[in-house]
Amino acid sequence: MDFAAIQRSSFPELFFAVSLLLSAFVITTTNASIHIYNKEPFGEVGNAFLLSGGSEGIVASPTADNSAHSSIRNGISYIRFENITFWRSKAAAHKHSDMEHSTGLVQVIIFESADRNNIGGSAYGGQRAICCTPDLAKLEGCKQGEVIRRPSATDINWPIVEDIQFSGNSLSTNIAYKVVPITKTGMYNLFFVACDPQLKGLIMSGKTMWKNPDGYLPGRMAPLMKFYVFMSLAYFFLSVIWFSQYMRFWKDILQLQHCITAVIALGLFEMILWYFEYVNLNDTGMRPIVVTTWVVTVGAVRKTVSRLLILSVSMGYGVVRPTLGGLTSKVLLLGTTYFLASELLDITEYVGTINDISGRARLFLVLPDAFLDAFLILWIFTSLSKTLEQLQAKRSSVKLDIYRKFSNALAVTVVASVTWIGYEVYFKATDPFNERWQSAWIITAFWDILAFALLCVICYLWAPSQNSQRYAYSEEVGEEPDDEEAQCLTRGKGEGDVSLVKQEKKVGANGNFEKEEDAEEDKRE
């Protein structure tokens, strides 16, 4: 990292570069809005030693009473410091003890992203610095060796700069307890800065608690708790409708409909788990690793089964062909690979740290997931095209109509996904300081809504009925299965499969019966 280049940039660029630097090299344990620091080293940025304490969206307190800090849902917002301790080297303590006036100064800076230009300054258009230099002291009246701070246009008390000093030759100093009330909604940033060159090698431990009016859930994540309530209700109503039909026509259920049932159950289970996980996160500020891993695993299973269901439907499984034949092992291999990639990505994103993961590390984990999704889409549409061709050749108007509706829904889903990815990239690229954090939850919510909508379409098109079994293979009569599928059907797994092949061959010799079966199917539908 070229710190000289950072110094020559404007402060927004400096702030962004610092955030990237610290996220890449400083591993800070973050649980919800409780930030825990365990002997974190200060990094050298420009003419300062700096440590990022976190960045969170906080909603302003609706009340001015900031006395009752013990209650979680007391409607009060604040940043609280607990047992923040700084350690300096013995050499630094010895040098400061020999100086008459200098005792070693560390400053805590809290500012809203909109006020980021009020920190730091530049003398004669030169390098922009965080700490006051002799030239800046003459120009701006700042105190040399301290952070440059200008009052906000909306509140002269912000940004907040608090001083913590080492006493004598002491190796440590601390903030035992301090509460900073938040009276304005915004994206707040916390930095610990030391301008004294003698404090090189400074480290810090402790904890800060960032509280919103309703709990410890980060501001950008808080709306998701209510969202998962609505999604749980949506899956519940879908499951009630589906299971009523499922139990009503139990004897005529297809394997495909068993798969749809599993996806609905997994989706309902996942949404409920996410809700309770967010409730716990909001109340305690902690994210239990075991519980969160379990929730993430259920989600990865649901996403994997959903994609395999769409692929199987596109291949005609349960409607045009009774099995996937020799493709079964390939589909299972792809499903296993996708599950592992999705599980690794989600665990990295949700378990442990929330927003301190390095951009490069996340990109490395996103790429396999994105590649597998692209491969799945290609395979799905290729299989869907072949299935449509088969149905057109057999002149199966009813099934052809269903598959055309399914392909249209799938095409709309893909177009919506690509469009939303473009919007997501634009959203993040044009908001480097997360100032639009209040609407960021929509990025996550969209994918759950899209998956639910496509599942509803599949449930509508392949709803259980009394004619499901006869309907599934009525068009297969008179058709010779391909070599791969025939081998699978006649391999001796069950007498039912063998008899099905024999029955198809016998009936296929009678063209009249085949036409009558087609006519009957059209009447039934």
Side-chain angles (χ1 to χ4, degrees):
M1 178 68 69
D2 186 358
F3 292 111
I6 293 178
Q7 285 183 308
R8 287 193 294 270
S9 64
S10 63
F11 189 75
E13 295 173 340
L14 175 63
F15 173 75
F16 187 55
V18 169
S19 300
L20 290 178
L21 173 69
L22 293 173
S23 65
F25 295 103
V26 179
I27 303 174
T28 304
T29 303
T30 305
N31 298 293
S33 289
I34 298 180
H35 294 239
I36 301 174
Y37 321 101
N38 184 20
K39 294 185 178 179
E40 309 295 341
F42 279 58
E44 186 175 355
V45 178
N47 64 345
F49 300 106
L50 184 145
L51 174 66
S52 173
S55 177
E56 298 287 358
I58 303 180
V59 178
S61 303
T63 175
D65 181 15
N66 295 305
S67 57
H69 295 295
S70 59
S71 176
I72 300 300
R73 293 181 173 85
N74 56 7
I76 297 173
S77 301
Y78 58 77
I79 300 175
R80 188 169 72 201
F81 298 80
E82 293 186 2
N83 299 319
I84 298 292
T85 305
F86 304 92
W87 285 278
R88 59 180 175 177
S89 65
K90 292 182 179 180
H94 178 71
K95 288 181 180 179
H96 282 131
S97 65
D98 294 338
M99 299 178 183
E100 295 182 3
H101 303 291
S102 176
T103 58
L105 176 67
V106 181
Q107 293 180 290
V108 180
I109 309 171
I110 305 174
F111 62 95
E112 191 187 353
S113 289
D115 296 328
R116 57 186 175 272
N117 289 325
N118 291 343
I119 299 294
S122 175
Y124 310 110
Q127 297 177 349
R128 192 172 182 91
I130 297 175
C131 297
C132 186
T133 62
D135 290 336
L136 285 169
K138 297 176 182 178
L139 291 173
E140 299 194 14
C142 58
K143 188 173 181 180
Q144 187 175 346
E146 296 186 6
V147 170
I148 303 169
R149 171 205 179 267
R150 285 176 294 278
S152 170
T154 57
D155 189 344
I156 60 172
N157 295 318
W158 285 83
I160 290 178
V161 177
E162 295 285 341
D163 296 344
I164 301 97
Q165 289 187 325
F166 287 89
S167 59
N169 59 355
S170 174
L171 294 178
S172 66
T173 186
N174 72 319
I175 308 172
Y177 184 90
K178 182 176 180 60
V179 175
V180 178
I182 302 298
T183 57
K184 178 184 175 183
T185 299
M187 174 60 69
Y188 287 87
N189 302 276
L190 169 63
F191 286 93
F192 300 93
V193 179
C195 294
D196 190 339
Q198 302 297 335
L199 290 178
K200 184 176 182 180
L202 191 67
I203 59 175
M204 185 193 80
S205 293
K207 178 170 65 175
T208 56
M209 307 179 77
W210 306 53
K211 184 183 170 301
N212 273 286
D214 294 324
Y216 292 118
L217 203 60
R220 69 190 183 282
M221 297 169 64
L224 288 173
M225 189 164 66
K226 294 181 180 178
F227 169 75
Y228 286 124
V229 173
F230 290 113
M231 287 303 300
S232 297
L233 291 173
Y235 270 99
F236 174 75
F237 288 124
L238 176 63
S239 64
V240 168
I241 297 171
W242 178 266
F243 279 106
S244 63
Q245 293 293 103
Y246 185 84
M247 297 305 297
R248 182 181 175 188
F249 304 108
W250 171 258
K251 294 182 179 179
D252 298 304
I253 294 298
L254 301 171
Q255 288 295 326
L256 174 65
Q257 291 162 340
H258 288 312
C259 296
I260 295 174
T261 303
V263 173
I264 295 173
L266 283 169
L268 176 61
F269 190 39
E270 181 190 4
M271 294 301 111
I272 292 174
L273 284 177
W274 273 122
Y275 169 71
F276 283 109
E277 203 265 354
Y278 271 53
V279 169
N280 178 74
L281 191 63
N282 189 55
D283 291 343
T284 65
M286 304 296 289
R287 211 166 199 171
I289 294 178
V290 175
V291 175
T292 307
T293 302
W294 174 246
V295 177
V296 164
T297 302
V298 172
V301 171
R302 193 264 308 167
K303 287 188 286 186
T304 302
V305 175
S306 298
R307 281 158 175 76
L308 295 186
L309 172 64
I310 295 172
L311 178 59
S312 299
V313 169
S314 301
M315 291 178 173
Y317 172 67
V319 177
V320 177
R321 55 196 300 178
T323 72
L324 294 178
L327 295 174
T328 302
S329 58
K330 296 179 181 178
V331 171
L332 292 177
L333 178 61
L334 177 62
T336 303
T337 306
Y338 185 87
F339 168 76
L340 293 175
S342 180
E343 175 83 346
L344 183 60
L345 175 63
D346 290 344
I347 283 179
T348 306
E349 183 171 359
Y350 293 106
V351 178
T353 61
I354 291 180
N355 64 343
D356 292 325
I357 181 172
S358 146
R360 290 183 180 180
R362 175 165 171 76
L363 179 63
F364 178 77
L365 295 170
V366 166
L367 285 177
D369 200 68
F371 173 77
L372 289 171
D373 265 328
F375 181 76
L376 265 168
I377 290 172
L378 180 62
W379 196 359
I380 286 170
F381 277 100
T382 302
S383 302
L384 195 56
S385 176
K386 292 180 181 178
T387 302
L388 288 171
E389 289 177 1
Q390 291 176 9
L391 293 174
Q392 285 176 340
K394 296 174 184 178
R395 299 180 182 178
S396 177
S397 59
V398 176
K399 291 183 182 179
L400 186 60
D401 181 59
I402 290 176
Y403 264 84
R404 278 176 176 167
K405 290 178 180 177
F406 174 67
S407 61
N408 290 338
L410 206 56
V412 169
T413 302
V414 172
V415 171
S417 299
V418 173
T419 303
W420 192 256
I421 289 172
Y423 171 74
E424 186 175 347
V425 171
Y426 168 80
F427 183 90
K428 293 180 178 179
T430 56
D431 187 30
F433 305 110
N434 297 320
E435 293 178 278
R436 296 199 296 268
W437 57 273
Q438 289 177 292
S439 57
W441 67 275
I442 301 174
I443 299 294
T444 301
F446 173 81
W447 298 110
D448 288 322
I449 294 173
L450 188 65
F452 178 76
L454 185 57
L455 180 60
C456 287
V457 171
I458 294 175
C459 290
Y460 172 75
L461 294 177
W462 283 279
S465 68
Q466 61 184 356
N467 295 320
S468 293
Q469 289 287 353
R470 294 182 63 197
Y471 168 73
Y473 306 117
S474 62
E475 301 261 351
E476 288 295 303
V477 294
E479 294 293 330
E480 290 290 342
D482 55 36
D483 295 337
E484 190 175 53
E485 191 173 326
Q487 290 176 7
C488 181
L489 287 172
T490 58
R491 212 167 266 168
K493 278 190 172 182
E495 293 180 359
D497 290 342
V498 178
S499 62
L500 176 63
V501 176
K502 291 180 179 178
Q503 183 182 2
E504 289 178 358
K505 291 183 177 180
K506 289 179 181 178
V507 177
N510 189 341
N512 295 330
F513 180 77
E514 185 174 354
K515 291 179 181 178
E516 289 174 5
E517 189 72 10
D518 289 345
E520 282 182 12
E521 182 188 56
D522 291 340
K523 288 178 182 178
R524 287 196 302 270
E525 298 300 324

